Structure formats: structure tokens, C-alpha cells
PDB file of all heavy atoms in Angstrom:
ATOM      1  N   ILE A   1      -4.096 -19.394  -1.959  1.00  0.00           N
ATOM      2  CA  ILE A   1      -3.614 -18.842  -3.221  1.00  0.00           C
ATOM      3  C   ILE A   1      -4.670 -17.858  -3.718  1.00  0.00           C
ATOM      4  O   ILE A   1      -5.784 -18.271  -4.054  1.00  0.00           O
ATOM      5  CB  ILE A   1      -3.377 -19.931  -4.283  1.00  0.00           C
ATOM      6  CG1 ILE A   1      -2.490 -21.049  -3.727  1.00  0.00           C
ATOM      7  CG2 ILE A   1      -2.766 -19.313  -5.541  1.00  0.00           C
ATOM      8  CD1 ILE A   1      -1.090 -20.623  -3.390  1.00  0.00           C
ATOM      9  N   PRO A   2      -4.382 -16.577  -3.744  1.00  0.00           N
ATOM     10  CA  PRO A   2      -5.404 -15.594  -4.131  1.00  0.00           C
ATOM     11  C   PRO A   2      -5.771 -15.707  -5.609  1.00  0.00           C
ATOM     12  O   PRO A   2      -4.954 -16.143  -6.436  1.00  0.00           O
ATOM     13  CB  PRO A   2      -4.730 -14.251  -3.834  1.00  0.00           C
ATOM     14  CG  PRO A   2      -3.270 -14.530  -3.884  1.00  0.00           C
ATOM     15  CD  PRO A   2      -3.096 -15.946  -3.415  1.00  0.00           C
ATOM     16  N   PRO A   3      -6.996 -15.306  -5.965  1.00  0.00           N
ATOM     17  CA  PRO A   3      -7.454 -15.409  -7.359  1.00  0.00           C
ATOM     18  C   PRO A   3      -6.920 -14.256  -8.209  1.00  0.00           C
ATOM     19  O   PRO A   3      -7.680 -13.434  -8.734  1.00  0.00           O
ATOM     20  CB  PRO A   3      -8.972 -15.348  -7.212  1.00  0.00           C
ATOM     21  CG  PRO A   3      -9.200 -14.498  -6.002  1.00  0.00           C
ATOM     22  CD  PRO A   3      -8.066 -14.830  -5.062  1.00  0.00           C
ATOM     23  N   ILE A   4      -5.615 -14.205  -8.332  1.00  0.00           N
ATOM     24  CA  ILE A   4      -4.964 -13.162  -9.124  1.00  0.00           C
ATOM     25  C   ILE A   4      -4.372 -13.804 -10.375  1.00  0.00           C
ATOM     26  O   ILE A   4      -3.509 -14.691 -10.277  1.00  0.00           O
ATOM     27  CB  ILE A   4      -3.856 -12.461  -8.317  1.00  0.00           C
ATOM     28  CG1 ILE A   4      -4.451 -11.751  -7.096  1.00  0.00           C
ATOM     29  CG2 ILE A   4      -3.093 -11.470  -9.191  1.00  0.00           C
ATOM     30  CD1 ILE A   4      -3.400 -11.178  -6.162  1.00  0.00           C
ATOM     31  N   GLY A   5      -4.837 -13.385 -11.531  1.00  0.00           N
ATOM     32  CA  GLY A   5      -4.322 -13.938 -12.774  1.00  0.00           C
ATOM     33  C   GLY A   5      -4.385 -15.452 -12.790  1.00  0.00           C
ATOM     34  O   GLY A   5      -5.419 -16.052 -12.482  1.00  0.00           O
ATOM     35  N   GLU A   6      -3.250 -16.076 -13.114  1.00  0.00           N
ATOM     36  CA  GLU A   6      -3.184 -17.540 -13.221  1.00  0.00           C
ATOM     37  C   GLU A   6      -2.506 -18.186 -12.006  1.00  0.00           C
ATOM     38  O   GLU A   6      -2.071 -19.336 -12.083  1.00  0.00           O
ATOM     39  CB  GLU A   6      -2.401 -17.929 -14.487  1.00  0.00           C
ATOM     40  CG  GLU A   6      -2.945 -17.331 -15.770  1.00  0.00           C
ATOM     41  CD  GLU A   6      -4.324 -17.888 -16.114  1.00  0.00           C
ATOM     42  OE1 GLU A   6      -4.472 -19.113 -16.155  1.00  0.00           O
ATOM     43  OE2 GLU A   6      -5.249 -17.083 -16.315  1.00  0.00           O
ATOM     44  N   LEU A   7      -2.448 -17.477 -10.878  1.00  0.00           N
ATOM     45  CA  LEU A   7      -1.739 -18.012  -9.716  1.00  0.00           C
ATOM     46  C   LEU A   7      -2.262 -19.376  -9.291  1.00  0.00           C
ATOM     47  O   LEU A   7      -1.495 -20.240  -8.847  1.00  0.00           O
ATOM     48  CB  LEU A   7      -1.828 -17.035  -8.532  1.00  0.00           C
ATOM     49  CG  LEU A   7      -0.954 -15.777  -8.570  1.00  0.00           C
ATOM     50  CD1 LEU A   7      -1.161 -14.959  -7.312  1.00  0.00           C
ATOM     51  CD2 LEU A   7       0.521 -16.135  -8.734  1.00  0.00           C
ATOM     52  N   ARG A   8      -3.575 -19.580  -9.391  1.00  0.00           N
ATOM     53  CA  ARG A   8      -4.157 -20.833  -8.879  1.00  0.00           C
ATOM     54  C   ARG A   8      -3.957 -22.028  -9.799  1.00  0.00           C
ATOM     55  O   ARG A   8      -4.150 -23.175  -9.367  1.00  0.00           O
ATOM     56  CB  ARG A   8      -5.643 -20.640  -8.600  1.00  0.00           C
ATOM     57  CG  ARG A   8      -5.914 -19.746  -7.393  1.00  0.00           C
ATOM     58  CD  ARG A   8      -7.385 -19.670  -7.064  1.00  0.00           C
ATOM     59  NE  ARG A   8      -7.607 -18.980  -5.794  1.00  0.00           N
ATOM     60  CZ  ARG A   8      -8.801 -18.747  -5.270  1.00  0.00           C
ATOM     61  NH1 ARG A   8      -9.907 -19.139  -5.902  1.00  0.00           N
ATOM     62  NH2 ARG A   8      -8.908 -18.116  -4.107  1.00  0.00           N
ATOM     63  N   ILE A   9      -3.580 -21.775 -11.057  1.00  0.00           N
ATOM     64  CA  ILE A   9      -3.495 -22.905 -11.994  1.00  0.00           C
ATOM     65  C   ILE A   9      -2.126 -23.040 -12.662  1.00  0.00           C
ATOM     66  O   ILE A   9      -1.849 -24.074 -13.279  1.00  0.00           O
ATOM     67  CB  ILE A   9      -4.584 -22.814 -13.087  1.00  0.00           C
ATOM     68  CG1 ILE A   9      -4.424 -21.515 -13.894  1.00  0.00           C
ATOM     69  CG2 ILE A   9      -5.974 -22.900 -12.483  1.00  0.00           C
ATOM     70  CD1 ILE A   9      -5.401 -21.416 -15.057  1.00  0.00           C
ATOM     71  N   ALA A  10      -1.274 -22.049 -12.556  1.00  0.00           N
ATOM     72  CA  ALA A  10       0.026 -22.115 -13.218  1.00  0.00           C
ATOM     73  C   ALA A  10       0.902 -23.201 -12.593  1.00  0.00           C
ATOM     74  O   ALA A  10       0.844 -23.462 -11.387  1.00  0.00           O
ATOM     75  CB  ALA A  10       0.724 -20.759 -13.140  1.00  0.00           C
ATOM     76  N   LYS A  11       1.733 -23.835 -13.417  1.00  0.00           N
ATOM     77  CA  LYS A  11       2.549 -24.956 -12.973  1.00  0.00           C
ATOM     78  C   LYS A  11       3.709 -24.540 -12.071  1.00  0.00           C
ATOM     79  O   LYS A  11       4.237 -25.367 -11.321  1.00  0.00           O
ATOM     80  CB  LYS A  11       3.101 -25.703 -14.189  1.00  0.00           C
ATOM     81  CG  LYS A  11       2.034 -26.298 -15.097  1.00  0.00           C
ATOM     82  CD  LYS A  11       2.677 -26.931 -16.322  1.00  0.00           C
ATOM     83  CE  LYS A  11       1.633 -27.499 -17.266  1.00  0.00           C
ATOM     84  NZ  LYS A  11       2.244 -28.078 -18.486  1.00  0.00           N
ATOM     85  N   ASN A  12       4.127 -23.291 -12.176  1.00  0.00           N
ATOM     86  CA  ASN A  12       5.315 -22.857 -11.426  1.00  0.00           C
ATOM     87  C   ASN A  12       4.965 -21.955 -10.250  1.00  0.00           C
ATOM     88  O   ASN A  12       5.745 -21.084  -9.858  1.00  0.00           O
ATOM     89  CB  ASN A  12       6.306 -22.161 -12.358  1.00  0.00           C
ATOM     90  CG  ASN A  12       5.725 -20.912 -13.013  1.00  0.00           C
ATOM     91  OD1 ASN A  12       4.509 -20.790 -13.151  1.00  0.00           O
ATOM     92  ND2 ASN A  12       6.583 -20.008 -13.448  1.00  0.00           N
ATOM     93  N   VAL A  13       3.791 -22.166  -9.671  1.00  0.00           N
ATOM     94  CA  VAL A  13       3.365 -21.455  -8.466  1.00  0.00           C
ATOM     95  C   VAL A  13       3.296 -22.454  -7.310  1.00  0.00           C
ATOM     96  O   VAL A  13       2.686 -23.521  -7.438  1.00  0.00           O
ATOM     97  CB  VAL A  13       1.999 -20.772  -8.662  1.00  0.00           C
ATOM     98  CG1 VAL A  13       1.530 -20.132  -7.359  1.00  0.00           C
ATOM     99  CG2 VAL A  13       2.089 -19.723  -9.765  1.00  0.00           C
ATOM    100  N   PHE A  14       3.894 -22.110  -6.183  1.00  0.00           N
ATOM    101  CA  PHE A  14       3.989 -23.031  -5.059  1.00  0.00           C
ATOM    102  C   PHE A  14       3.592 -22.343  -3.751  1.00  0.00           C
ATOM    103  O   PHE A  14       3.799 -21.145  -3.574  1.00  0.00           O
ATOM    104  CB  PHE A  14       5.429 -23.544  -4.904  1.00  0.00           C
ATOM    105  CG  PHE A  14       6.021 -24.090  -6.163  1.00  0.00           C
ATOM    106  CD1 PHE A  14       6.803 -23.281  -6.983  1.00  0.00           C
ATOM    107  CD2 PHE A  14       5.802 -25.396  -6.546  1.00  0.00           C
ATOM    108  CE1 PHE A  14       7.365 -23.772  -8.148  1.00  0.00           C
ATOM    109  CE2 PHE A  14       6.345 -25.913  -7.720  1.00  0.00           C
ATOM    110  CZ  PHE A  14       7.131 -25.088  -8.522  1.00  0.00           C
ATOM    111  N   GLY A  15       3.009 -23.112  -2.841  1.00  0.00           N
ATOM    112  CA  GLY A  15       2.881 -22.704  -1.452  1.00  0.00           C
ATOM    113  C   GLY A  15       4.077 -23.268  -0.708  1.00  0.00           C
ATOM    114  O   GLY A  15       4.963 -23.908  -1.291  1.00  0.00           O
ATOM    115  N   LEU A  16       4.127 -23.052   0.608  1.00  0.00           N
ATOM    116  CA  LEU A  16       5.164 -23.684   1.425  1.00  0.00           C
ATOM    117  C   LEU A  16       4.539 -24.071   2.755  1.00  0.00           C
ATOM    118  O   LEU A  16       4.782 -23.453   3.795  1.00  0.00           O
ATOM    119  CB  LEU A  16       6.354 -22.749   1.631  1.00  0.00           C
ATOM    120  CG  LEU A  16       7.567 -23.363   2.363  1.00  0.00           C
ATOM    121  CD1 LEU A  16       8.093 -24.585   1.625  1.00  0.00           C
ATOM    122  CD2 LEU A  16       8.661 -22.341   2.579  1.00  0.00           C
ATOM    123  N   ARG A  17       3.719 -25.101   2.684  1.00  0.00           N
ATOM    124  CA  ARG A  17       2.996 -25.545   3.867  1.00  0.00           C
ATOM    125  C   ARG A  17       3.376 -26.959   4.274  1.00  0.00           C
ATOM    126  O   ARG A  17       3.384 -27.299   5.442  1.00  0.00           O
ATOM    127  CB  ARG A  17       1.489 -25.477   3.577  1.00  0.00           C
ATOM    128  CG  ARG A  17       0.604 -25.796   4.749  1.00  0.00           C
ATOM    129  CD  ARG A  17       0.789 -24.786   5.860  1.00  0.00           C
ATOM    130  NE  ARG A  17       0.115 -25.194   7.078  1.00  0.00           N
ATOM    131  CZ  ARG A  17       0.245 -24.575   8.232  1.00  0.00           C
ATOM    132  NH1 ARG A  17       1.016 -23.521   8.327  1.00  0.00           N
ATOM    133  NH2 ARG A  17      -0.385 -24.999   9.300  1.00  0.00           N
ATOM    134  N   ASN A  18       3.688 -27.798   3.300  1.00  0.00           N
ATOM    135  CA  ASN A  18       3.983 -29.201   3.548  1.00  0.00           C
ATOM    136  C   ASN A  18       5.320 -29.567   2.913  1.00  0.00           C
ATOM    137  O   ASN A  18       5.842 -28.853   2.049  1.00  0.00           O
ATOM    138  CB  ASN A  18       2.881 -30.093   2.969  1.00  0.00           C
ATOM    139  CG  ASN A  18       1.532 -29.779   3.566  1.00  0.00           C
ATOM    140  OD1 ASN A  18       1.335 -29.896   4.765  1.00  0.00           O
ATOM    141  ND2 ASN A  18       0.588 -29.362   2.731  1.00  0.00           N
ATOM    142  N   LEU A  19       5.855 -30.702   3.328  1.00  0.00           N
ATOM    143  CA  LEU A  19       7.103 -31.174   2.754  1.00  0.00           C
ATOM    144  C   LEU A  19       6.981 -31.348   1.252  1.00  0.00           C
ATOM    145  O   LEU A  19       7.924 -31.057   0.498  1.00  0.00           O
ATOM    146  CB  LEU A  19       7.525 -32.488   3.414  1.00  0.00           C
ATOM    147  CG  LEU A  19       8.799 -33.145   2.881  1.00  0.00           C
ATOM    148  CD1 LEU A  19       9.985 -32.192   2.984  1.00  0.00           C
ATOM    149  CD2 LEU A  19       9.077 -34.447   3.628  1.00  0.00           C
ATOM    150  N   SER A  20       5.818 -31.801   0.788  1.00  0.00           N
ATOM    151  CA  SER A  20       5.624 -31.975  -0.656  1.00  0.00           C
ATOM    152  C   SER A  20       5.776 -30.651  -1.397  1.00  0.00           C
ATOM    153  O   SER A  20       6.285 -30.615  -2.527  1.00  0.00           O
ATOM    154  CB  SER A  20       4.253 -32.591  -0.940  1.00  0.00           C
ATOM    155  OG  SER A  20       3.219 -31.793  -0.406  1.00  0.00           O
ATOM    156  N   ASP A  21       5.356 -29.538  -0.762  1.00  0.00           N
ATOM    157  CA  ASP A  21       5.555 -28.220  -1.372  1.00  0.00           C
ATOM    158  C   ASP A  21       7.053 -27.919  -1.504  1.00  0.00           C
ATOM    159  O   ASP A  21       7.527 -27.484  -2.559  1.00  0.00           O
ATOM    160  CB  ASP A  21       4.908 -27.121  -0.528  1.00  0.00           C
ATOM    161  CG  ASP A  21       3.403 -27.252  -0.429  1.00  0.00           C
ATOM    162  OD1 ASP A  21       2.777 -27.677  -1.419  1.00  0.00           O
ATOM    163  OD2 ASP A  21       2.858 -26.924   0.640  1.00  0.00           O
ATOM    164  N   ALA A  22       7.775 -28.126  -0.416  1.00  0.00           N
ATOM    165  CA  ALA A  22       9.213 -27.850  -0.423  1.00  0.00           C
ATOM    166  C   ALA A  22       9.939 -28.734  -1.428  1.00  0.00           C
ATOM    167  O   ALA A  22      10.857 -28.288  -2.131  1.00  0.00           O
ATOM    168  CB  ALA A  22       9.788 -28.046   0.980  1.00  0.00           C
ATOM    169  N   GLN A  23       9.533 -29.999  -1.512  1.00  0.00           N
ATOM    170  CA  GLN A  23      10.157 -30.914  -2.476  1.00  0.00           C
ATOM    171  C   GLN A  23       9.913 -30.445  -3.907  1.00  0.00           C
ATOM    172  O   GLN A  23      10.813 -30.519  -4.754  1.00  0.00           O
ATOM    173  CB  GLN A  23       9.614 -32.326  -2.269  1.00  0.00           C
ATOM    174  CG  GLN A  23      10.092 -32.967  -0.980  1.00  0.00           C
ATOM    175  CD  GLN A  23       9.367 -34.268  -0.659  1.00  0.00           C
ATOM    176  OE1 GLN A  23       8.189 -34.441  -0.990  1.00  0.00           O
ATOM    177  NE2 GLN A  23      10.062 -35.182  -0.008  1.00  0.00           N
ATOM    178  N   SER A  24       8.709 -29.956  -4.176  1.00  0.00           N
ATOM    179  CA  SER A  24       8.397 -29.461  -5.523  1.00  0.00           C
ATOM    180  C   SER A  24       9.235 -28.234  -5.865  1.00  0.00           C
ATOM    181  O   SER A  24       9.705 -28.077  -7.000  1.00  0.00           O
ATOM    182  CB  SER A  24       6.908 -29.124  -5.635  1.00  0.00           C
ATOM    183  OG  SER A  24       6.114 -30.277  -5.521  1.00  0.00           O
ATOM    184  N   ILE A  25       9.429 -27.349  -4.884  1.00  0.00           N
ATOM    185  CA  ILE A  25      10.235 -26.151  -5.122  1.00  0.00           C
ATOM    186  C   ILE A  25      11.674 -26.544  -5.442  1.00  0.00           C
ATOM    187  O   ILE A  25      12.271 -26.056  -6.405  1.00  0.00           O
ATOM    188  CB  ILE A  25      10.176 -25.217  -3.899  1.00  0.00           C
ATOM    189  CG1 ILE A  25       8.764 -24.653  -3.728  1.00  0.00           C
ATOM    190  CG2 ILE A  25      11.175 -24.063  -4.054  1.00  0.00           C
ATOM    191  CD1 ILE A  25       8.547 -23.920  -2.417  1.00  0.00           C
ATOM    192  N   VAL A  26      12.254 -27.425  -4.623  1.00  0.00           N
ATOM    193  CA  VAL A  26      13.633 -27.851  -4.847  1.00  0.00           C
ATOM    194  C   VAL A  26      13.779 -28.523  -6.208  1.00  0.00           C
ATOM    195  O   VAL A  26      14.770 -28.306  -6.925  1.00  0.00           O
ATOM    196  CB  VAL A  26      14.080 -28.801  -3.713  1.00  0.00           C
ATOM    197  CG1 VAL A  26      15.405 -29.467  -4.059  1.00  0.00           C
ATOM    198  CG2 VAL A  26      14.206 -28.038  -2.405  1.00  0.00           C
ATOM    199  N   LYS A  27      12.792 -29.305  -6.590  1.00  0.00           N
ATOM    200  CA  LYS A  27      12.844 -30.034  -7.856  1.00  0.00           C
ATOM    201  C   LYS A  27      12.735 -29.104  -9.063  1.00  0.00           C
ATOM    202  O   LYS A  27      13.362 -29.342 -10.101  1.00  0.00           O
ATOM    203  CB  LYS A  27      11.727 -31.078  -7.893  1.00  0.00           C
ATOM    204  CG  LYS A  27      11.671 -31.893  -9.179  1.00  0.00           C
ATOM    205  CD  LYS A  27      10.535 -32.906  -9.126  1.00  0.00           C
ATOM    206  CE  LYS A  27      10.456 -33.695 -10.438  1.00  0.00           C
ATOM    207  NZ  LYS A  27       9.329 -34.672 -10.405  1.00  0.00           N
ATOM    208  N   ASN A  28      11.942 -28.051  -8.935  1.00  0.00           N
ATOM    209  CA  ASN A  28      11.611 -27.236 -10.108  1.00  0.00           C
ATOM    210  C   ASN A  28      12.308 -25.877 -10.175  1.00  0.00           C
ATOM    211  O   ASN A  28      12.235 -25.206 -11.205  1.00  0.00           O
ATOM    212  CB  ASN A  28      10.098 -27.007 -10.151  1.00  0.00           C
ATOM    213  CG  ASN A  28       9.328 -28.276 -10.444  1.00  0.00           C
ATOM    214  OD1 ASN A  28       9.271 -28.733 -11.576  1.00  0.00           O
ATOM    215  ND2 ASN A  28       8.735 -28.859  -9.412  1.00  0.00           N
ATOM    216  N   VAL A  29      12.953 -25.452  -9.094  1.00  0.00           N
ATOM    217  CA  VAL A  29      13.591 -24.131  -9.074  1.00  0.00           C
ATOM    218  C   VAL A  29      15.099 -24.313  -8.961  1.00  0.00           C
ATOM    219  O   VAL A  29      15.606 -24.730  -7.919  1.00  0.00           O
ATOM    220  CB  VAL A  29      13.059 -23.269  -7.913  1.00  0.00           C
ATOM    221  CG1 VAL A  29      13.730 -21.905  -7.924  1.00  0.00           C
ATOM    222  CG2 VAL A  29      11.540 -23.118  -8.012  1.00  0.00           C
ATOM    223  N   ALA A  30      15.808 -23.976 -10.030  1.00  0.00           N
ATOM    224  CA  ALA A  30      17.249 -24.207 -10.085  1.00  0.00           C
ATOM    225  C   ALA A  30      18.030 -23.002  -9.562  1.00  0.00           C
ATOM    226  O   ALA A  30      17.524 -21.874  -9.524  1.00  0.00           O
ATOM    227  CB  ALA A  30      17.667 -24.510 -11.519  1.00  0.00           C
ATOM    228  N   THR A  31      19.266 -23.243  -9.172  1.00  0.00           N
ATOM    229  CA  THR A  31      20.159 -22.166  -8.778  1.00  0.00           C
ATOM    230  C   THR A  31      20.237 -21.122  -9.890  1.00  0.00           C
ATOM    231  O   THR A  31      20.358 -21.468 -11.067  1.00  0.00           O
ATOM    232  CB  THR A  31      21.567 -22.721  -8.480  1.00  0.00           C
ATOM    233  OG1 THR A  31      21.472 -23.644  -7.391  1.00  0.00           O
ATOM    234  CG2 THR A  31      22.537 -21.607  -8.128  1.00  0.00           C
ATOM    235  N   GLY A  32      20.146 -19.856  -9.504  1.00  0.00           N
ATOM    236  CA  GLY A  32      20.190 -18.787 -10.485  1.00  0.00           C
ATOM    237  C   GLY A  32      18.832 -18.345 -10.991  1.00  0.00           C
ATOM    238  O   GLY A  32      18.738 -17.345 -11.707  1.00  0.00           O
ATOM    239  N   ALA A  33      17.786 -19.079 -10.632  1.00  0.00           N
ATOM    240  CA  ALA A  33      16.432 -18.720 -11.072  1.00  0.00           C
ATOM    241  C   ALA A  33      15.972 -17.443 -10.379  1.00  0.00           C
ATOM    242  O   ALA A  33      16.468 -17.072  -9.311  1.00  0.00           O
ATOM    243  CB  ALA A  33      15.463 -19.861 -10.774  1.00  0.00           C
ATOM    244  N   ASN A  34      15.006 -16.773 -10.993  1.00  0.00           N
ATOM    245  CA  ASN A  34      14.394 -15.575 -10.419  1.00  0.00           C
ATOM    246  C   ASN A  34      13.042 -15.948  -9.833  1.00  0.00           C
ATOM    247  O   ASN A  34      12.137 -16.367 -10.560  1.00  0.00           O
ATOM    248  CB  ASN A  34      14.215 -14.500 -11.484  1.00  0.00           C
ATOM    249  CG  ASN A  34      15.537 -14.020 -12.035  1.00  0.00           C
ATOM    250  OD1 ASN A  34      16.437 -13.654 -11.287  1.00  0.00           O
ATOM    251  ND2 ASN A  34      15.687 -14.040 -13.354  1.00  0.00           N
ATOM    252  N   VAL A  35      12.910 -15.803  -8.520  1.00  0.00           N
ATOM    253  CA  VAL A  35      11.691 -16.210  -7.824  1.00  0.00           C
ATOM    254  C   VAL A  35      11.059 -15.009  -7.138  1.00  0.00           C
ATOM    255  O   VAL A  35      11.760 -14.221  -6.477  1.00  0.00           O
ATOM    256  CB  VAL A  35      11.988 -17.307  -6.772  1.00  0.00           C
ATOM    257  CG1 VAL A  35      10.734 -17.640  -5.974  1.00  0.00           C
ATOM    258  CG2 VAL A  35      12.521 -18.555  -7.455  1.00  0.00           C
ATOM    259  N   ILE A  36       9.750 -14.880  -7.279  1.00  0.00           N
ATOM    260  CA  ILE A  36       9.004 -13.858  -6.556  1.00  0.00           C
ATOM    261  C   ILE A  36       8.292 -14.529  -5.389  1.00  0.00           C
ATOM    262  O   ILE A  36       7.568 -15.513  -5.575  1.00  0.00           O
ATOM    263  CB  ILE A  36       7.980 -13.158  -7.462  1.00  0.00           C
ATOM    264  CG1 ILE A  36       8.704 -12.396  -8.574  1.00  0.00           C
ATOM    265  CG2 ILE A  36       7.102 -12.192  -6.649  1.00  0.00           C
ATOM    266  CD1 ILE A  36       7.773 -11.810  -9.613  1.00  0.00           C
ATOM    267  N   VAL A  37       8.517 -14.030  -4.186  1.00  0.00           N
ATOM    268  CA  VAL A  37       7.801 -14.497  -2.998  1.00  0.00           C
ATOM    269  C   VAL A  37       6.735 -13.460  -2.684  1.00  0.00           C
ATOM    270  O   VAL A  37       7.055 -12.302  -2.393  1.00  0.00           O
ATOM    271  CB  VAL A  37       8.747 -14.676  -1.799  1.00  0.00           C
ATOM    272  CG1 VAL A  37       7.950 -15.085  -0.557  1.00  0.00           C
ATOM    273  CG2 VAL A  37       9.811 -15.720  -2.109  1.00  0.00           C
ATOM    274  N   ILE A  38       5.469 -13.866  -2.755  1.00  0.00           N
ATOM    275  CA  ILE A  38       4.371 -12.952  -2.460  1.00  0.00           C
ATOM    276  C   ILE A  38       3.981 -13.135  -0.998  1.00  0.00           C
ATOM    277  O   ILE A  38       3.493 -14.184  -0.602  1.00  0.00           O
ATOM    278  CB  ILE A  38       3.159 -13.216  -3.370  1.00  0.00           C
ATOM    279  CG1 ILE A  38       3.558 -13.054  -4.839  1.00  0.00           C
ATOM    280  CG2 ILE A  38       2.017 -12.260  -3.033  1.00  0.00           C
ATOM    281  CD1 ILE A  38       2.429 -13.340  -5.816  1.00  0.00           C
ATOM    282  N   GLY A  39       4.216 -12.120  -0.190  1.00  0.00           N
ATOM    283  CA  GLY A  39       3.936 -12.187   1.239  1.00  0.00           C
ATOM    284  C   GLY A  39       5.221 -12.266   2.040  1.00  0.00           C
ATOM    285  O   GLY A  39       6.099 -13.083   1.734  1.00  0.00           O
ATOM    286  N   SER A  40       5.341 -11.420   3.056  1.00  0.00           N
ATOM    287  CA  SER A  40       6.581 -11.382   3.842  1.00  0.00           C
ATOM    288  C   SER A  40       6.342 -11.743   5.299  1.00  0.00           C
ATOM    289  O   SER A  40       7.040 -11.256   6.188  1.00  0.00           O
ATOM    290  CB  SER A  40       7.216  -9.986   3.758  1.00  0.00           C
ATOM    291  OG  SER A  40       6.438  -9.034   4.476  1.00  0.00           O
ATOM    292  N   GLY A  41       5.353 -12.608   5.561  1.00  0.00           N
ATOM    293  CA  GLY A  41       5.192 -13.146   6.901  1.00  0.00           C
ATOM    294  C   GLY A  41       6.283 -14.164   7.180  1.00  0.00           C
ATOM    295  O   GLY A  41       7.257 -14.294   6.426  1.00  0.00           O
ATOM    296  N   LEU A  42       6.133 -14.928   8.250  1.00  0.00           N
ATOM    297  CA  LEU A  42       7.169 -15.892   8.609  1.00  0.00           C
ATOM    298  C   LEU A  42       7.406 -16.930   7.520  1.00  0.00           C
ATOM    299  O   LEU A  42       8.546 -17.289   7.230  1.00  0.00           O
ATOM    300  CB  LEU A  42       6.796 -16.581   9.922  1.00  0.00           C
ATOM    301  CG  LEU A  42       7.131 -15.807  11.197  1.00  0.00           C
ATOM    302  CD1 LEU A  42       6.553 -16.511  12.418  1.00  0.00           C
ATOM    303  CD2 LEU A  42       8.631 -15.635  11.347  1.00  0.00           C
ATOM    304  N   VAL A  43       6.330 -17.415   6.898  1.00  0.00           N
ATOM    305  CA  VAL A  43       6.491 -18.420   5.839  1.00  0.00           C
ATOM    306  C   VAL A  43       7.210 -17.813   4.646  1.00  0.00           C
ATOM    307  O   VAL A  43       8.127 -18.418   4.071  1.00  0.00           O
ATOM    308  CB  VAL A  43       5.136 -19.002   5.425  1.00  0.00           C
ATOM    309  CG1 VAL A  43       5.287 -19.923   4.211  1.00  0.00           C
ATOM    310  CG2 VAL A  43       4.504 -19.779   6.582  1.00  0.00           C
ATOM    311  N   GLY A  44       6.804 -16.615   4.262  1.00  0.00           N
ATOM    312  CA  GLY A  44       7.444 -15.966   3.133  1.00  0.00           C
ATOM    313  C   GLY A  44       8.921 -15.697   3.360  1.00  0.00           C
ATOM    314  O   GLY A  44       9.762 -15.924   2.483  1.00  0.00           O
TER     315      GLY A  44
END
């Protein structure tokens, strides 16, 4: 997580490395939400 603004401490910022990350995204991001994905590699 790069040291840009509040990315490292904000509650609604997620990685996608482990199942726990994916579970948090599903739990906290509802249909219709606006999500920014930073990075367009395979994970992104």
C-alpha cells in the first residue's frame, strides 16, 4: 500500500492478496458502489 494520502489507514482501502481481503471487500462494497482500482496488473 503506497504512502499516498490516507491509503494506509483508511477503513475503505483493501488489498486483494488473501481470502480475508476478498471477504472484507464483499462485506463492505455493495452493488452500485463506485470503486477505484489502483494498478492494472493481474491482481488489479
